[in-house]
Amino acid sequence: IFQQQLPVITVSNALLKDIINFSKADFPGYVVPNIIDTTIFKYVPYNRFSNNMNFLMVSQWKWPKDPFTVLKAWQLVKDQLPNAILNIGGYGPQYEQLNEMIIELELQKHVFLIGLLNSNQIAHEMRKSKAFIHCSNYETFSVVCAEALCCGTPVIASKVGGIKEFVNKSNGILVEDNSPDSFFGSILDFEEESKYFDRKKISNDAVAKFSEKNIGKDYFSALKKVISIDV
């Protein structure tokens, strides 16, 4: 289908490049990110204790997500940051294996499975967490990372795919490779730098990128360009 030189709109430059590489085709391409429901995922002042050490992961747990690397990293985290807690929400084929690994690594006092959450519950967990952690082998965009940023929550995430296009030093840390040591080091780096993150600004910047109104403008602009092309 890509050989027909029809215009293509994708959610990230990374996905657009992958389609071009896969299809070996030449076609007009436009990038319009996913919409985040900013009526739910938004900044709300939260009375966190200064010693708050709650971190969060949420996903539909299946490949290419890799929560197991983070669990292995948490074996190291708990020795350096004994008060650090990792809450894991979500569901999926990896869920039972997650539970088994928590027991195998003796992390029951440091890692907690909090189960399936609705959107309001996810937003609440994000706002009360020190950071959102996301380890994945591939992401076309990563809605959940964008949702965390809209809540004002810094993100510690794999440096892959579309994530690289909106997570940066102002709102989080990109982890160079998916290894326990790299995630461990990034979490320690974040702990050192956490006081410098402006959660309200993180939210304002993310909402400006991903709100329905602003994405609608981007999509309309892309469509105007598409219909001006002779296909």
Side-chain angles (χ1 to χ4, degrees), residues 66-115:
D66 181 11
F68 311 110
T69 289
V70 179
L71 289 185
K72 292 172 184 175
W74 222 259
Q75 280 189 299
L76 306 171
V77 170
K78 69 180 177 62
D79 294 331
Q80 285 292 115
L81 305 171
N83 295 324
I85 296 296
L86 176 62
N87 293 309
I88 303 176
Y91 64 96
Q94 296 174 334
Y95 196 78
E96 283 304 315
Q97 191 178 348
L98 269 169
N99 189 44
E100 292 169 2
M101 183 171 281
I102 290 169
I103 295 170
E104 178 187 336
L105 300 179
E106 299 182 349
L107 292 171
Q108 296 95 320
K109 294 182 180 179
H110 307 275
V111 179
F112 299 93
L113 296 176
I114 57 178

Side-chain angles (χ1 to χ4, degrees), residues 146-219:
E147 288 173 341
L149 295 181
C150 286
C151 289
T153 305
V155 169
I156 303 168
S158 303
K159 190 177 181 180
V160 296
I163 296 176
K164 298 180 295 185
E165 295 170 32
F166 61 88
V167 174
N168 52 58
K169 291 181 179 180
S170 72
N171 58 24
I173 292 177
L174 289 170
V175 184
E176 290 292 334
D177 64 275
N178 289 346
S179 68
D181 284 342
S182 290
F183 266 86
F184 169 60
S186 294
I187 291 165
L188 290 189
D189 289 344
F190 173 81
E191 179 59 22
E192 288 291 320
E193 300 169 11
S194 59
K195 61 185 176 184
Y196 300 113
F197 288 103
D198 184 336
R199 296 175 78 103
K200 188 171 184 178
K201 185 178 186 304
I202 288 173
S203 174
N204 289 342
D205 291 347
V207 168
K209 288 181 181 178
F210 306 127
S211 69
E212 180 179 350
K213 180 179 180 180
N214 292 324
I215 294 298
K217 289 179 180 178
D218 291 344
Y219 192 64

Side-chain angles (χ1 to χ4, degrees), residues 36-52:
I36 303 302
D37 186 346
T38 54
T39 65
I40 295 174
F41 297 95
K42 60 184 178 181
Y43 177 78
V44 176
Y46 194 92
N47 186 21
R48 297 173 194 81
F49 296 106
S50 60
N51 62 347
N52 171 45

